[in-house]
PDB file of all heavy atoms in Angstrom:
ATOM      1  N   ASP A  87     116.739 136.070  91.799  1.00 93.00           N
ATOM      2  CA  ASP A  87     116.870 137.135  92.784  1.00 93.00           C
ATOM      3  C   ASP A  87     115.581 137.964  92.760  1.00 93.00           C
ATOM      4  O   ASP A  87     115.480 138.935  92.021  1.00 93.00           O
ATOM      5  CB  ASP A  87     118.086 138.001  92.467  1.00 93.00           C
ATOM      6  CG  ASP A  87     118.311 139.086  93.501  1.00 93.00           C
ATOM      7  OD1 ASP A  87     117.829 138.952  94.624  1.00 93.00           O
ATOM      8  OD2 ASP A  87     118.988 140.082  93.146  1.00 93.00           O
ATOM      9  N   ILE A  88     114.619 137.506  93.550  1.00 94.00           N
ATOM     10  CA  ILE A  88     113.343 138.247  93.640  1.00 94.00           C
ATOM     11  C   ILE A  88     113.077 138.547  95.106  1.00 94.00           C
ATOM     12  O   ILE A  88     113.571 137.841  95.990  1.00 94.00           O
ATOM     13  CB  ILE A  88     112.173 137.491  92.984  1.00 94.00           C
ATOM     14  CG1 ILE A  88     111.929 136.142  93.663  1.00 94.00           C
ATOM     15  CG2 ILE A  88     112.416 137.301  91.492  1.00 94.00           C
ATOM     16  CD1 ILE A  88     110.706 135.416  93.135  1.00 94.00           C
ATOM     17  N   PRO A  89     112.278 139.575  95.387  1.00 94.00           N
ATOM     18  CA  PRO A  89     112.044 139.984  96.767  1.00 94.00           C
ATOM     19  C   PRO A  89     111.383 138.890  97.623  1.00 94.00           C
ATOM     20  O   PRO A  89     110.601 138.082  97.126  1.00 94.00           O
ATOM     21  CB  PRO A  89     111.101 141.173  96.636  1.00 94.00           C
ATOM     22  CG  PRO A  89     111.255 141.651  95.243  1.00 94.00           C
ATOM     23  CD  PRO A  89     111.620 140.450  94.425  1.00 94.00           C
ATOM     24  N   GLU A  90     111.716 138.912  98.887  1.00 87.00           N
ATOM     25  CA  GLU A  90     111.093 138.017  99.880  1.00 87.00           C
ATOM     26  C   GLU A  90     109.581 138.229  99.833  1.00 87.00           C
ATOM     27  O   GLU A  90     109.105 139.340  99.745  1.00 87.00           O
ATOM     28  CB  GLU A  90     111.624 138.377 101.267  1.00 87.00           C
ATOM     29  CG  GLU A  90     111.382 137.330 102.309  1.00 87.00           C
ATOM     30  CD  GLU A  90     112.199 136.079 102.096  1.00 87.00           C
ATOM     31  OE1 GLU A  90     113.327 136.165 101.597  1.00 87.00           O
ATOM     32  OE2 GLU A  90     111.686 134.996 102.439  1.00 87.00           O
ATOM     33  N   GLY A  91     108.854 137.149  99.843  1.00 94.00           N
ATOM     34  CA  GLY A  91     107.395 137.224  99.831  1.00 94.00           C
ATOM     35  C   GLY A  91     106.778 137.185  98.447  1.00 94.00           C
ATOM     36  O   GLY A  91     105.590 136.929  98.313  1.00 94.00           O
ATOM     37  N   LEU A  92     107.561 137.482  97.418  1.00 97.00           N
ATOM     38  CA  LEU A  92     106.998 137.475  96.064  1.00 97.00           C
ATOM     39  C   LEU A  92     106.647 136.059  95.623  1.00 97.00           C
ATOM     40  O   LEU A  92     105.657 135.862  94.942  1.00 97.00           O
ATOM     41  CB  LEU A  92     107.967 138.115  95.058  1.00 97.00           C
ATOM     42  CG  LEU A  92     107.453 138.234  93.626  1.00 97.00           C
ATOM     43  CD1 LEU A  92     106.138 139.014  93.570  1.00 97.00           C
ATOM     44  CD2 LEU A  92     108.500 138.914  92.732  1.00 97.00           C
ATOM     45  N   TRP A  93     107.426 135.070  96.059  1.00 96.00           N
ATOM     46  CA  TRP A  93     107.110 133.666  95.728  1.00 96.00           C
ATOM     47  C   TRP A  93     105.683 133.341  96.157  1.00 96.00           C
ATOM     48  O   TRP A  93     104.882 132.811  95.381  1.00 96.00           O
ATOM     49  CB  TRP A  93     108.065 132.710  96.443  1.00 96.00           C
ATOM     50  CG  TRP A  93     109.473 132.781  95.967  1.00 96.00           C
ATOM     51  CD1 TRP A  93     110.499 133.481  96.550  1.00 96.00           C
ATOM     52  CD2 TRP A  93     110.028 132.143  94.818  1.00 96.00           C
ATOM     53  NE1 TRP A  93     111.646 133.314  95.825  1.00 96.00           N
ATOM     54  CE2 TRP A  93     111.399 132.480  94.773  1.00 96.00           C
ATOM     55  CE3 TRP A  93     109.516 131.311  93.841  1.00 96.00           C
ATOM     56  CZ2 TRP A  93     112.236 132.008  93.767  1.00 96.00           C
ATOM     57  CZ3 TRP A  93     110.352 130.848  92.831  1.00 96.00           C
ATOM     58  CH2 TRP A  93     111.695 131.204  92.805  1.00 96.00           C
ATOM     59  N   GLU A  94     105.380 133.654  97.408  1.00 96.00           N
ATOM     60  CA  GLU A  94     104.067 133.334  97.956  1.00 96.00           C
ATOM     61  C   GLU A  94     102.971 134.088  97.219  1.00 96.00           C
ATOM     62  O   GLU A  94     101.921 133.510  96.906  1.00 96.00           O
ATOM     63  CB  GLU A  94     104.016 133.657  99.460  1.00 96.00           C
ATOM     64  CG  GLU A  94     104.896 132.768 100.308  1.00 96.00           C
ATOM     65  CD  GLU A  94     106.358 133.230 100.444  1.00 96.00           C
ATOM     66  OE1 GLU A  94     106.781 134.194  99.716  1.00 96.00           O
ATOM     67  OE2 GLU A  94     107.100 132.633 101.241  1.00 96.00           O
ATOM     68  N   LYS A  95     103.196 135.358  96.913  1.00 97.00           N
ATOM     69  CA  LYS A  95     102.208 136.153  96.203  1.00 97.00           C
ATOM     70  C   LYS A  95     101.947 135.583  94.818  1.00 97.00           C
ATOM     71  O   LYS A  95     100.803 135.559  94.344  1.00 97.00           O
ATOM     72  CB  LYS A  95     102.647 137.613  96.101  1.00 97.00           C
ATOM     73  CG  LYS A  95     102.569 138.355  97.423  1.00 97.00           C
ATOM     74  CD  LYS A  95     103.051 139.768  97.285  1.00 97.00           C
ATOM     75  CE  LYS A  95     103.053 140.444  98.641  1.00 97.00           C
ATOM     76  NZ  LYS A  95     103.740 141.723  98.612  1.00 97.00           N
ATOM     77  N   MET A  96     102.994 135.120  94.146  1.00 98.00           N
ATOM     78  CA  MET A  96     102.830 134.546  92.803  1.00 98.00           C
ATOM     79  C   MET A  96     102.069 133.221  92.874  1.00 98.00           C
ATOM     80  O   MET A  96     101.238 132.933  92.009  1.00 98.00           O
ATOM     81  CB  MET A  96     104.185 134.365  92.116  1.00 98.00           C
ATOM     82  CG  MET A  96     104.832 135.664  91.711  1.00 98.00           C
ATOM     83  SD  MET A  96     106.321 135.507  90.689  1.00 98.00           S
ATOM     84  CE  MET A  96     107.405 134.568  91.773  1.00 98.00           C
ATOM     85  N   ILE A  97     102.331 132.405  93.884  1.00 98.00           N
ATOM     86  CA  ILE A  97     101.598 131.153  94.044  1.00 98.00           C
ATOM     87  C   ILE A  97     100.129 131.424  94.331  1.00 98.00           C
ATOM     88  O   ILE A  97      99.236 130.816  93.745  1.00 98.00           O
ATOM     89  CB  ILE A  97     102.242 130.275  95.144  1.00 98.00           C
ATOM     90  CG1 ILE A  97     103.597 129.756  94.692  1.00 98.00           C
ATOM     91  CG2 ILE A  97     101.309 129.124  95.547  1.00 98.00           C
ATOM     92  CD1 ILE A  97     104.443 129.101  95.794  1.00 98.00           C
ATOM     93  N   GLU A  98      99.856 132.369  95.229  1.00 97.00           N
ATOM     94  CA  GLU A  98      98.471 132.727  95.547  1.00 97.00           C
ATOM     95  C   GLU A  98      97.762 133.252  94.310  1.00 97.00           C
ATOM     96  O   GLU A  98      96.596 132.926  94.071  1.00 97.00           O
ATOM     97  CB  GLU A  98      98.448 133.755  96.674  1.00 97.00           C
ATOM     98  CG  GLU A  98      98.877 133.202  98.006  1.00 97.00           C
ATOM     99  CD  GLU A  98      99.170 134.286  99.048  1.00 97.00           C
ATOM    100  OE1 GLU A  98      98.905 135.482  98.770  1.00 97.00           O
ATOM    101  OE2 GLU A  98      99.690 133.925 100.112  1.00 97.00           O
ATOM    102  N   HIS A  99      98.446 134.079  93.527  1.00 98.00           N
ATOM    103  CA  HIS A  99      97.851 134.614  92.294  1.00 98.00           C
ATOM    104  C   HIS A  99      97.526 133.487  91.308  1.00 98.00           C
ATOM    105  O   HIS A  99      96.447 133.457  90.718  1.00 98.00           O
ATOM    106  CB  HIS A  99      98.794 135.635  91.645  1.00 98.00           C
ATOM    107  CG  HIS A  99      98.308 136.134  90.324  1.00 98.00           C
ATOM    108  ND1 HIS A  99      97.309 137.063  90.193  1.00 98.00           N
ATOM    109  CD2 HIS A  99      98.675 135.799  89.059  1.00 98.00           C
ATOM    110  CE1 HIS A  99      97.070 137.272  88.913  1.00 98.00           C
ATOM    111  NE2 HIS A  99      97.886 136.532  88.194  1.00 98.00           N
ATOM    112  N   ALA A 100      98.449 132.542  91.164  1.00 98.00           N
ATOM    113  CA  ALA A 100      98.227 131.391  90.269  1.00 98.00           C
ATOM    114  C   ALA A 100      97.021 130.599  90.704  1.00 98.00           C
ATOM    115  O   ALA A 100      96.134 130.264  89.926  1.00 98.00           O
ATOM    116  CB  ALA A 100      99.482 130.517  90.227  1.00 98.00           C
ATOM    117  N   TYR A 101      96.961 130.325  91.995  1.00 98.00           N
ATOM    118  CA  TYR A 101      95.857 129.573  92.573  1.00 98.00           C
ATOM    119  C   TYR A 101      94.525 130.299  92.342  1.00 98.00           C
ATOM    120  O   TYR A 101      93.556 129.705  91.866  1.00 98.00           O
ATOM    121  CB  TYR A 101      96.106 129.348  94.069  1.00 98.00           C
ATOM    122  CG  TYR A 101      94.936 128.811  94.822  1.00 98.00           C
ATOM    123  CD1 TYR A 101      94.672 127.438  94.859  1.00 98.00           C
ATOM    124  CD2 TYR A 101      94.076 129.668  95.519  1.00 98.00           C
ATOM    125  CE1 TYR A 101      93.568 126.954  95.551  1.00 98.00           C
ATOM    126  CE2 TYR A 101      92.981 129.175  96.203  1.00 98.00           C
ATOM    127  CZ  TYR A 101      92.733 127.820  96.228  1.00 98.00           C
ATOM    128  OH  TYR A 101      91.653 127.339  96.889  1.00 98.00           O
ATOM    129  N   GLU A 102      94.483 131.579  92.676  1.00 97.00           N
ATOM    130  CA  GLU A 102      93.249 132.354  92.524  1.00 97.00           C
ATOM    131  C   GLU A 102      92.839 132.488  91.053  1.00 97.00           C
ATOM    132  O   GLU A 102      91.654 132.473  90.745  1.00 97.00           O
ATOM    133  CB  GLU A 102      93.421 133.759  93.143  1.00 97.00           C
ATOM    134  CG  GLU A 102      93.408 133.760  94.656  1.00 97.00           C
ATOM    135  CD  GLU A 102      92.088 133.340  95.263  1.00 97.00           C
ATOM    136  OE1 GLU A 102      91.017 133.622  94.658  1.00 97.00           O
ATOM    137  OE2 GLU A 102      92.090 132.735  96.343  1.00 97.00           O
ATOM    138  N   THR A 103      93.803 132.635  90.172  1.00 97.00           N
ATOM    139  CA  THR A 103      93.521 132.736  88.741  1.00 97.00           C
ATOM    140  C   THR A 103      92.793 131.476  88.250  1.00 97.00           C
ATOM    141  O   THR A 103      91.797 131.575  87.523  1.00 97.00           O
ATOM    142  CB  THR A 103      94.821 132.952  87.940  1.00 97.00           C
ATOM    143  OG1 THR A 103      95.407 134.173  88.362  1.00 97.00           O
ATOM    144  CG2 THR A 103      94.566 132.992  86.457  1.00 97.00           C
ATOM    145  N   VAL A 104      93.262 130.318  88.680  1.00 97.00           N
ATOM    146  CA  VAL A 104      92.617 129.063  88.273  1.00 97.00           C
ATOM    147  C   VAL A 104      91.291 128.902  88.997  1.00 97.00           C
ATOM    148  O   VAL A 104      90.278 128.536  88.376  1.00 97.00           O
ATOM    149  CB  VAL A 104      93.555 127.868  88.527  1.00 97.00           C
ATOM    150  CG1 VAL A 104      92.841 126.555  88.274  1.00 97.00           C
ATOM    151  CG2 VAL A 104      94.794 127.989  87.635  1.00 97.00           C
ATOM    152  N   LEU A 105      91.254 129.170  90.284  1.00 97.00           N
ATOM    153  CA  LEU A 105      90.033 129.018  91.089  1.00 97.00           C
ATOM    154  C   LEU A 105      88.877 129.839  90.478  1.00 97.00           C
ATOM    155  O   LEU A 105      87.761 129.349  90.354  1.00 97.00           O
ATOM    156  CB  LEU A 105      90.281 129.424  92.531  1.00 97.00           C
ATOM    157  CG  LEU A 105      89.095 129.283  93.477  1.00 97.00           C
ATOM    158  CD1 LEU A 105      88.728 127.828  93.693  1.00 97.00           C
ATOM    159  CD2 LEU A 105      89.410 129.948  94.813  1.00 97.00           C
ATOM    160  N   GLN A 106      89.164 131.071  90.095  1.00 96.00           N
ATOM    161  CA  GLN A 106      88.119 131.959  89.579  1.00 96.00           C
ATOM    162  C   GLN A 106      87.547 131.483  88.226  1.00 96.00           C
ATOM    163  O   GLN A 106      86.433 131.873  87.875  1.00 96.00           O
ATOM    164  CB  GLN A 106      88.665 133.382  89.422  1.00 96.00           C
ATOM    165  CG  GLN A 106      89.049 134.024  90.728  1.00 96.00           C
ATOM    166  CD  GLN A 106      87.925 134.041  91.764  1.00 96.00           C
ATOM    167  OE1 GLN A 106      86.796 134.354  91.455  1.00 96.00           O
ATOM    168  NE2 GLN A 106      88.238 133.674  92.993  1.00 96.00           N
ATOM    169  N   LYS A 107      88.271 130.644  87.518  1.00 96.00           N
ATOM    170  CA  LYS A 107      87.787 130.118  86.235  1.00 96.00           C
ATOM    171  C   LYS A 107      86.957 128.848  86.409  1.00 96.00           C
ATOM    172  O   LYS A 107      86.338 128.375  85.449  1.00 96.00           O
ATOM    173  CB  LYS A 107      88.964 129.814  85.316  1.00 96.00           C
ATOM    174  CG  LYS A 107      89.787 131.027  84.937  1.00 96.00           C
ATOM    175  CD  LYS A 107      89.048 131.892  83.949  1.00 96.00           C
ATOM    176  CE  LYS A 107      89.937 133.022  83.509  1.00 96.00           C
ATOM    177  NZ  LYS A 107      89.279 133.979  82.669  1.00 96.00           N
ATOM    178  N   LEU A 108      86.944 128.282  87.607  1.00 96.00           N
ATOM    179  CA  LEU A 108      86.185 127.061  87.859  1.00 96.00           C
ATOM    180  C   LEU A 108      84.703 127.404  87.969  1.00 96.00           C
ATOM    181  O   LEU A 108      84.339 128.526  88.322  1.00 96.00           O
ATOM    182  CB  LEU A 108      86.648 126.406  89.152  1.00 96.00           C
ATOM    183  CG  LEU A 108      88.099 125.898  89.183  1.00 96.00           C
ATOM    184  CD1 LEU A 108      88.450 125.417  90.578  1.00 96.00           C
ATOM    185  CD2 LEU A 108      88.323 124.810  88.163  1.00 96.00           C
ATOM    186  N   PRO A 109      83.844 126.423  87.660  1.00 95.00           N
ATOM    187  CA  PRO A 109      82.400 126.649  87.846  1.00 95.00           C
ATOM    188  C   PRO A 109      82.095 127.086  89.302  1.00 95.00           C
ATOM    189  O   PRO A 109      82.754 126.652  90.242  1.00 95.00           O
ATOM    190  CB  PRO A 109      81.784 125.285  87.558  1.00 95.00           C
ATOM    191  CG  PRO A 109      82.799 124.569  86.725  1.00 95.00           C
ATOM    192  CD  PRO A 109      84.127 125.073  87.190  1.00 95.00           C
ATOM    193  N   LYS A 110      81.101 127.948  89.445  1.00 95.00           N
ATOM    194  CA  LYS A 110      80.747 128.471  90.780  1.00 95.00           C
ATOM    195  C   LYS A 110      80.461 127.341  91.764  1.00 95.00           C
ATOM    196  O   LYS A 110      80.832 127.426  92.929  1.00 95.00           O
ATOM    197  CB  LYS A 110      79.527 129.388  90.686  1.00 95.00           C
ATOM    198  CG  LYS A 110      79.763 130.623  89.860  1.00 95.00           C
ATOM    199  CD  LYS A 110      80.749 131.558  90.515  1.00 95.00           C
ATOM    200  CE  LYS A 110      80.938 132.795  89.654  1.00 95.00           C
ATOM    201  NZ  LYS A 110      82.190 133.487  89.949  1.00 95.00           N
ATOM    202  N   ARG A 111      79.833 126.286  91.301  1.00 94.00           N
ATOM    203  CA  ARG A 111      79.525 125.138  92.164  1.00 94.00           C
ATOM    204  C   ARG A 111      80.816 124.537  92.745  1.00 94.00           C
ATOM    205  O   ARG A 111      80.899 124.263  93.940  1.00 94.00           O
ATOM    206  CB  ARG A 111      78.781 124.075  91.367  1.00 94.00           C
ATOM    207  CG  ARG A 111      78.460 122.815  92.132  1.00 94.00           C
ATOM    208  CD  ARG A 111      77.839 121.730  91.240  1.00 94.00           C
ATOM    209  NE  ARG A 111      78.623 121.414  90.067  1.00 94.00           N
ATOM    210  CZ  ARG A 111      79.703 120.595  90.089  1.00 94.00           C
ATOM    211  NH1 ARG A 111      80.121 120.067  91.189  1.00 94.00           N
ATOM    212  NH2 ARG A 111      80.342 120.331  88.945  1.00 94.00           N
ATOM    213  N   VAL A 112      81.844 124.397  91.906  1.00 94.00           N
ATOM    214  CA  VAL A 112      83.113 123.825  92.354  1.00 94.00           C
ATOM    215  C   VAL A 112      83.797 124.797  93.322  1.00 94.00           C
ATOM    216  O   VAL A 112      84.324 124.388  94.341  1.00 94.00           O
ATOM    217  CB  VAL A 112      84.035 123.513  91.154  1.00 94.00           C
ATOM    218  CG1 VAL A 112      85.403 123.036  91.623  1.00 94.00           C
ATOM    219  CG2 VAL A 112      83.369 122.472  90.252  1.00 94.00           C
ATOM    220  N   GLN A 113      83.748 126.087  93.028  1.00 93.00           N
ATOM    221  CA  GLN A 113      84.314 127.087  93.936  1.00 93.00           C
ATOM    222  C   GLN A 113      83.666 127.015  95.319  1.00 93.00           C
ATOM    223  O   GLN A 113      84.352 127.044  96.340  1.00 93.00           O
ATOM    224  CB  GLN A 113      84.127 128.494  93.368  1.00 93.00           C
ATOM    225  CG  GLN A 113      84.957 128.780  92.143  1.00 93.00           C
ATOM    226  CD  GLN A 113      84.738 130.187  91.626  1.00 93.00           C
ATOM    227  OE1 GLN A 113      84.623 131.140  92.396  1.00 93.00           O
ATOM    228  NE2 GLN A 113      84.662 130.334  90.310  1.00 93.00           N
ATOM    229  N   GLN A 114      82.323 126.869  95.343  1.00 93.00           N
ATOM    230  CA  GLN A 114      81.586 126.768  96.604  1.00 93.00           C
ATOM    231  C   GLN A 114      81.990 125.499  97.375  1.00 93.00           C
ATOM    232  O   GLN A 114      82.133 125.538  98.585  1.00 93.00           O
ATOM    233  CB  GLN A 114      80.089 126.789  96.353  1.00 93.00           C
ATOM    234  CG  GLN A 114      79.556 128.158  95.998  1.00 93.00           C
ATOM    235  CD  GLN A 114      79.852 129.185  97.077  1.00 93.00           C
ATOM    236  OE1 GLN A 114      80.658 130.072  96.851  1.00 93.00           O
ATOM    237  NE2 GLN A 114      79.255 129.044  98.234  1.00 93.00           N
ATOM    238  N   GLU A 115      82.144 124.397  96.665  1.00 91.00           N
ATOM    239  CA  GLU A 115      82.550 123.135  97.295  1.00 91.00           C
ATOM    240  C   GLU A 115      83.923 123.301  97.968  1.00 91.00           C
ATOM    241  O   GLU A 115      84.133 122.851  99.105  1.00 91.00           O
ATOM    242  CB  GLU A 115      82.621 121.996  96.284  1.00 91.00           C
ATOM    243  CG  GLU A 115      81.258 121.527  95.800  1.00 91.00           C
ATOM    244  CD  GLU A 115      81.343 120.523  94.652  1.00 91.00           C
ATOM    245  OE1 GLU A 115      82.474 120.099  94.280  1.00 91.00           O
ATOM    246  OE2 GLU A 115      80.278 120.219  94.097  1.00 91.00           O
ATOM    247  N   ILE A 116      84.847 123.933  97.267  1.00 90.00           N
ATOM    248  CA  ILE A 116      86.188 124.144  97.837  1.00 90.00           C
ATOM    249  C   ILE A 116      86.126 125.045  99.064  1.00 90.00           C
ATOM    250  O   ILE A 116      86.729 124.754 100.067  1.00 90.00           O
ATOM    251  CB  ILE A 116      87.129 124.712  96.740  1.00 90.00           C
ATOM    252  CG1 ILE A 116      87.394 123.645  95.678  1.00 90.00           C
ATOM    253  CG2 ILE A 116      88.438 125.209  97.359  1.00 90.00           C
ATOM    254  CD1 ILE A 116      88.072 124.147  94.439  1.00 90.00           C
ATOM    255  N   LYS A 117      85.340 126.103  98.974  1.00 85.00           N
ATOM    256  CA  LYS A 117      85.195 127.023 100.106  1.00 85.00           C
ATOM    257  C   LYS A 117      84.527 126.327 101.294  1.00 85.00           C
ATOM    258  O   LYS A 117      84.931 126.514 102.445  1.00 85.00           O
ATOM    259  CB  LYS A 117      84.392 128.250  99.709  1.00 85.00           C
ATOM    260  CG  LYS A 117      85.165 129.186  98.837  1.00 85.00           C
ATOM    261  CD  LYS A 117      84.326 130.377  98.423  1.00 85.00           C
ATOM    262  CE  LYS A 117      85.100 131.247  97.439  1.00 85.00           C
ATOM    263  NZ  LYS A 117      84.310 132.337  96.923  1.00 85.00           N
ATOM    264  N   SER A 118      83.507 125.509 101.038  1.00 85.00           N
ATOM    265  CA  SER A 118      82.802 124.841 102.136  1.00 85.00           C
ATOM    266  C   SER A 118      83.647 123.773 102.809  1.00 85.00           C
ATOM    267  O   SER A 118      83.488 123.498 104.001  1.00 85.00           O
ATOM    268  CB  SER A 118      81.473 124.223 101.641  1.00 85.00           C
ATOM    269  OG  SER A 118      81.700 123.170 100.768  1.00 85.00           O
ATOM    270  N   GLU A 119      84.587 123.200 102.107  1.00 80.00           N
ATOM    271  CA  GLU A 119      85.511 122.222 102.694  1.00 80.00           C
ATOM    272  C   GLU A 119      86.421 122.884 103.740  1.00 80.00           C
ATOM    273  O   GLU A 119      86.890 122.220 104.648  1.00 80.00           O
ATOM    274  CB  GLU A 119      86.397 121.588 101.616  1.00 80.00           C
ATOM    275  CG  GLU A 119      85.664 120.623 100.697  1.00 80.00           C
ATOM    276  CD  GLU A 119      86.536 120.139  99.554  1.00 80.00           C
ATOM    277  OE1 GLU A 119      87.762 120.419  99.536  1.00 80.00           O
ATOM    278  OE2 GLU A 119      86.012 119.458  98.662  1.00 80.00           O
TER     279      GLU A 119
END
Side-chain angles (χ1 to χ4, degrees):
D87 182 21
I88 62 175
E90 196 69 32
L92 184 56
W93 293 98
E94 292 86 352
K95 287 178 185 170
M96 289 188 300
I97 291 169
E98 291 166 8
H99 175 77
Y101 169 84
E102 286 295 328
T103 298
V104 173
L105 181 67
Q106 296 305 315
K107 297 286 185 186
L108 296 174
K110 298 292 181 202
R111 177 186 55 79
V112 175
Q113 291 180 40
Q114 285 303 111
E115 287 172 7
I116 291 168
K117 288 178 184 175
S118 68
E119 289 174 7

